[in-house]
Amino acid sequence: MGVGPISGPSVMNFRRVAVPLLLLAAIACGSDGGASSAPPGQQQITVLGRIFSVDDLKSAGFKTSKQYDVTDLPGAVDAWFGFFKADGKNPIDYEVRFYGSHEDAIAFGVAPADEASGEDAKLDEGTTSWPVGLKDRKKLASGGTADLAAWSGKLQTKYGDFVVLGNMVLLCEGTNSEEALERCDAL
């Protein structure tokens, strides 16, 4: 009597638990978790042993413009829109979302941040899972010139990418991922 392949409810339950746990372990070890690709030498997800608040950013020179209602942002405890001037340059916009822990930032924050940033960002109220602050995430696309006649009238995302730093998810202004990640690094 031979033993056939293992199947059934117990294997399915094991897969439902094991696969997410393995993914979380890979992310926690410094992988970018497939959220988007970071340039060599820059980690998009950084594990830190401390909990950040908006006061930490303010002490670094971050200026808050508005606080968002996080009632419908799963796992979030706070969220802010504001700007930072790196080296006295022009102000750069950021959206900062805070979670109770690094694990919560990964579990609940990566997917909405990925949805709100990058070339394929969801900029329509009907497609985004968290419409709060949506108008602050948009900018008018240009044809690559300051000439007003070249403005296409098409909206694009303001945030080229995001990082997870401890319990904080930071969406950073930039025309592409590389520029946005450099700006995340500056803050």
Side-chain angles (χ1 to χ4, degrees), residues 82-149:
F83 66 92
F84 177 72
K85 289 185 180 183
D87 301 326
K89 296 180 182 177
N90 293 330
I92 304 300
D93 287 342
Y94 297 85
E95 184 176 312
V96 190
R97 302 169 182 182
F98 296 95
Y99 294 83
S101 67
H102 176 72
E103 292 77 17
D104 285 352
I106 298 296
F108 300 110
V110 170
D114 189 44
E115 176 183 282
S117 63
E119 291 179 20
D120 58 349
K122 295 181 178 177
L123 300 175
D124 186 288
E125 244 181 88
T127 60
T128 185
S129 62
W130 190 55
V132 175
L134 185 60
K135 69 177 184 166
D136 298 324
R137 291 184 210 120
K138 300 176 187 180
K139 68 180 182 178
L140 199 57
S142 80
T145 177
D147 180 8
L148 289 179

Side-chain angles (χ1 to χ4, degrees), residues 6-180:
I6 300 173
S7 63
S10 62
V11 171
M12 293 307 290
N13 288 337
F14 173 76
R15 286 182 184 155
R16 284 189 196 125
V17 172
V19 172
L21 287 176
L22 289 173
L23 179 60
L24 183 60
I27 290 170
C29 292
S31 160
D32 72 358
S36 69
S37 59
Q42 290 183 310
Q43 284 189 299
Q44 193 168 4
I45 297 176
T46 305
V47 180
L48 294 175
R50 71 175 285 198
I51 301 296
F52 291 98
S53 73
V54 72
D55 291 332
D56 293 310
L57 293 178
K58 286 179 178 179
S59 69
F62 181 74
K63 306 293 184 198
T64 57
S65 296
K66 61 178 90 165
Q67 185 175 21
Y68 296 133
D69 178 2
V70 295
T71 302
D72 295 325
L73 184 60
V77 296
D78 200 7
W80 289 84
F81 172 69
F83 66 92
F84 177 72
K85 289 185 180 183
D87 301 326
K89 296 180 182 177
N90 293 330
I92 304 300
D93 287 342
Y94 297 85
E95 184 176 312
V96 190
R97 302 169 182 182
F98 296 95
Y99 294 83
S101 67
H102 176 72
E103 292 77 17
D104 285 352
I106 298 296
F108 300 110
V110 170
D114 189 44
E115 176 183 282
S117 63
E119 291 179 20
D120 58 349
K122 295 181 178 177
L123 300 175
D124 186 288
E125 244 181 88
T127 60
T128 185
S129 62
W130 190 55
V132 175
L134 185 60
K135 69 177 184 166
D136 298 324
R137 291 184 210 120
K138 300 176 187 180
K139 68 180 182 178
L140 199 57
S142 80
T145 177
D147 180 8
L148 289 179
W151 288 86
S152 68
K154 180 182 175 196
L155 293 176
Q156 67 183 33
T157 185
K158 184 183 289 184
Y159 304 119
D161 217 331
F162 70 95
V163 297
V164 178
L165 182 62
N167 68 309
M168 179 173 59
V169 176
L170 187 62
L171 287 86
C172 307
E173 183 178 355
T175 56
N176 56 44
S177 178
E178 184 177 357
E179 181 180 52

